[in-house]
Amino acid sequence: MQDIADITPLVASLNPAQKEAVTAPPEHRLVLAGAGSGKTRVLVHRIAWLITVENVSPLSVLAVTFTNKAASEMRGRIEQLITVPIRSMWVGTFHGIAHRMLRLHWKEAGLVQNFQILDADDQVRLVKRVLKALDMSDEQWPPKAVTHWINAQKEEARRPQHMSDLGDYTQRQYVRVYTAYEEACTKSGVVDFAELLLRAFEITRDNPEIQAHYRRRFRHVLVDEFQDTNTLQYAWLKVLAGDTGTMFAVGDDDQSIYSWRGARVENMVRLEKDFPGTEVIRLEQNYRSTGTILKAANGLISKNTNRLGKNLWTDGGDGEQIQLYASYNEYDEAEFVANRARELLDGRCRYSDLAILYRSNAQSRVLEEILIRARIPYRIYGGLRFFERQEIKDALAYLRLLHNRDDDTSFERTVNTPARGIGATTMEKLREISRASGVSLWMAAKNASSQLGRSAGNMGQFLKLIDDLHAETRDLPLSKATELLIARTGLRDHYRKEKGEQAEARLENLDELISAARSFEVDPGAASAAENPDEPVLDPLTAFLTHAALESGEEQAGPGEDCVQLMTLHAAKGLEFPVVFIVGVENGLFPSARAIDEGNLEEERRLFYVGITRARRKLYLSYAEVRRVHGVEQIGAPSMFLKEVPAECVSETRPRAGILRPGFGAREPQSGYGGGYRGAGSGGGYGGSAAGRPLPRTVVAGSSGLGPGGFRLGQRVEHPKFGEGTILSFDGDGDRAQIEVKFRDAGTKRLVLGFANLRGL
DNA sequence: CTTATTGGGCTTTTT
DNA sequence: GCCCAATAAG
């Protein structure tokens, strides 16, 4: 029996709804947790409650998240809350848990014991090679699209052998690639991300012992970000829980922003049907944002239909109005952000209190440029991550090849990196041999070196290098082995010779890899402490490679200290900042042109909702009247979503009245915006003009888009040779003035205006 | 085989 | 406008 004192810290700090969720009897629950309503808190406290009050063993708990970050945060917070050791508890990502099962049951899953994981990049490369082997052209069958199709099939748990031929040629070809791709994976002993989930699902569904074992074990299944589960993940959860396990799912349909990668919000409704007795608990009290920000968010999201329904509230104050800034262009917009940032930083803000959110990554470039000039330190999230870097993947491919010679993906990557005289022709020959004899590239190279002509010697050296390295490293600790490999394969010299500061960074990354390997070396003292049949024992190399595949690591850009945070709206989900700037709030950008085209506005609206609710105290929105998109200046209109934000929440700022908008493309921003309208952001403007009413325009009639030669942007023109077209942009002035025209038949051309002989239509 | 050049493409992203 | 990948030239 637990005494009262034990449970106080578990519930004392919770509001009634949170308390209801945490202390609910062990039955199915769906927690609709609004933004900033303490979702993670409820999940963590629920697990702690089950263990300390309901006397549930940590072994009986399965807690699933989407990201490694969320999983480790959850584990850490539970550990802080209770004294019971939870080392044996399965807390992890869908993929991490699937992987764990497959390591334990590799035989039943039909895998080889030392299977490796293919990342998204590797997968596309492999699909590409399969396409080539099937004589299907890259053009007609874009590898990325084919890969996407294969993954979509896997997410619906469809195997090629189950797919009926509907007499559709395209379908037939797709199935052909899918089949060949699967064979290639099996032959190489690799699985892609979707395959991890699919195999784990299949053994849980089809293997009675495995099913019984996990159902007996996992009495409590808890899922975070439930609105992001895809069909396969849901099916797996269902088959895991069976009718003995209880589901505790936490999610927010209003924050469903990943339907394009397979997430199915409908799973929230299905849960209620599939798990009888599921009670829904709503968390609507928000602890993050001001009343004004919540009002804006609520107003916006109420325009969506098919919501499960929720209204955020706070018992805090209204706070400040949301500032909306109408900028001339993206440089002016960035200046506005930098100016406001500087003002805030003079006050009580640290750099890291500020976040700049945008719809697409391309928008970060201009912001970066301006922030550098303003000497404001920043950090961009969402670049290349550590284990995705070229040099790191090179080194890892060698490690994988040492581990398994039949790993063709790694063979292809390493064989001529660094260059050792094994070119495309040789590899083409080798692939043909391997295809014909049905063996891996490695075996083919071993057996048929005589058929490789002039490169046979080089190939022989490569094979020997791998064999020698294997012998030399087999008894070394992993970090030493990695170090030796990087030196002996010539990778280090290869990158040393590369010029530029990039090379420097690459060498540092290789060193970083060596020290990362060190943390996977077995520590003989701690290892055998608790041998659990439910914990796979991985050799250091496998553990290291798995870590690299499943946790691609923090992205390395910039110093980790006090910085302004730049990221996409998608990347911001789950985070919060005292001050948030959302830039580029324009039709065509946000909502994106494609979303408008396809009528997918609800998800874009949710994305805006996510963005707004990231802000604690201050929120700035901005849009540009003109923006360069894919190198072409485009006139934008404020986002349709702005009209949906209650007018009283917003006050609008404009560049100082009376200053004309600069002529389109008359000057490049560097020189153009420096003089004319610098400091526009801090200028007076006129507040109070609420979003929703027509926005006053400072444009002087007729000046809009007027370029050299009297032509206007978007004007229809005729060229003696190219025919009719539309003006896309102007560049420069005087004799050198250029004009970019999109012709109806001749494509887009850049012409010198003086010679173009254009006639306006 | 390496290096320079051209051409296409282009939301969002975790594992 | 920028980045990648596929081609052409060295």
Side-chain angles (χ1 to χ4, degrees), chain A residues 215-274:
Chain A
R215 283 189 182 171
R216 210 177 310 123
R217 174 170 171 172
F218 296 128
R219 311 315 283 237
H220 303 275
V221 179
L222 298 97
V223 192
D224 191 17
E225 304 279 19
F226 191 73
Q227 77 283 351
D228 288 340
T229 50
N230 64 29
T231 307
L232 181 55
Q233 288 159 341
Y234 180 78
W236 188 34
L237 290 173
K238 213 174 122 188
V239 78
L240 269 174
D243 30 60
T244 46
T246 62
M247 282 290 292
F248 191 89
V250 182
D252 182 0
D253 54 320
D254 289 334
Q255 293 188 68
S256 163
I257 55 173
Y258 285 114
S259 74
W260 50 273
R261 65 174 197 212
R264 301 291 168 97
V265 220
E266 311 90 84
N267 288 343
M268 301 186 85
V269 182
R270 282 184 64 188
L271 186 84
E272 287 186 69
K273 293 202 189 105
D274 291 347

Side-chain angles (χ1 to χ4, degrees), chain A residues 35 255 286 288-301 312 322 357 569 572 575-582 585 590 604-621 641-642 644-646 649-650:
Chain A
Q255 293 188 68
N286 175 292
R288 180 185 295 159
S289 311
T290 65
T292 301
I293 288 167
L294 293 182
K295 194 187 227 177
N298 283 332
L300 175 86
I301 203 67
L312 295 177
I322 295 166
L357 311 182
L569 286 145
L575 306 177
E576 60 174 47
F577 309 92
V579 182
V580 168
F581 294 88
I582 302 178
V585 189
F590 193 23
E604 295 281 305
R605 192 177 281 114
R606 290 193 289 268
L607 188 56
F608 195 19
Y609 176 80
V610 167
I612 291 172
T613 52
R614 297 311 95 195
R616 287 223 286 258
R617 300 192 337 254
K618 280 173 187 278
L619 176 61
Y620 295 91
L621 307 175
F641 295 150
L642 289 173
E644 300 172 353
V645 175
C649 301
V650 184

Side-chain angles (χ1 to χ4, degrees), chain A residues 245-366:
Chain A
T246 62
M247 282 290 292
F248 191 89
V250 182
D252 182 0
D253 54 320
D254 289 334
Q255 293 188 68
S256 163
I257 55 173
Y258 285 114
S259 74
W260 50 273
R261 65 174 197 212
R264 301 291 168 97
V265 220
E266 311 90 84
N267 288 343
M268 301 186 85
V269 182
R270 282 184 64 188
L271 186 84
E272 287 186 69
K273 293 202 189 105
D274 291 347
F275 293 84
T278 297
E279 276 183 30
V280 179
I281 299 168
R282 287 182 161 72
L283 305 182
E284 299 178 292
Q285 182 174 3
N286 175 292
Y287 296 95
R288 180 185 295 159
S289 311
T290 65
T292 301
I293 288 167
L294 293 182
K295 194 187 227 177
N298 283 332
L300 175 86
I301 203 67
S302 71
K303 297 290 190 282
N304 270 2
T305 53
N306 293 325
R307 297 176 58 216
L308 294 176
K310 215 171 356 68
N311 215 34
L312 295 177
W313 60 277
T314 175
D315 60 9
D318 282 348
E320 295 169 36
Q321 278 197 306
I322 295 166
Q323 303 266 319
L324 172 64
Y325 178 71
S327 68
Y328 293 126
N329 58 25
E330 66 270 37
Y331 283 88
D332 179 31
E333 178 178 63
E335 277 277 311
F336 165 74
V337 173
N339 287 335
R340 283 298 143 100
R342 226 171 334 207
E343 285 167 27
L344 291 160
L345 293 163
D346 284 343
R348 278 208 310 279
C349 279
R350 297 155 49 82
Y351 290 115
S352 54
D353 290 342
L354 313 186
I356 310 175
L357 311 182
Y358 35 79
R359 178 66 240 263
S360 74
N361 285 307
Q363 290 171 254
S364 68
R365 223 198 79 245
V366 172

Side-chain angles (χ1 to χ4, degrees), chain A residues 387 396 399 478 482 513 516-517 520 539-548:
Chain A
F387 288 107
L396 291 174
L399 275 174
L478 189 57
T482 310
L513 184 73
F520 287 86
D539 59 283
L541 178 56
T542 303
F544 186 44
L545 292 175
T546 299
H547 174 83

Side-chain angles (χ1 to χ4, degrees), chain A residues 502-564:
Chain A
Q502 174 120 327
E504 188 96 353
R506 292 206 150 130
L507 292 173
E508 281 169 24
N509 287 336
L510 287 172
D511 288 333
E512 186 61 36
L513 184 73
I514 294 166
S515 70
R518 198 164 298 129
S519 56
F520 287 86
E521 291 165 4
V522 270
D523 166 3
S528 56
E531 288 275 314
N532 188 321
D534 269 0
E535 296 304 320
V537 183
L538 302 185
D539 59 283
L541 178 56
T542 303
F544 186 44
L545 292 175
T546 299
H547 174 83
L550 253 30
E551 311 187 27
S552 17
E554 277 286 287
E555 143 273 340
Q556 279 225 319
E561 308 111 53
D562 187 24
C563 289
V564 172

Side-chain angles (χ1 to χ4, degrees), chain A residues 9 131 189 203 214 265 283 456 583 635:
Chain A
L131 284 167
I203 59 168
Y214 286 104
V265 220
L283 305 182
V583 299
I635 300 173

Side-chain angles (χ1 to χ4, degrees), chain A residues 328 656 659-660 662 671-680:
Chain A
Y328 293 126
R656 196 175 309 138
I659 298 175
L660 293 181
S671 49
Y673 80 97
Y677 53 95
R678 154 158 268 138

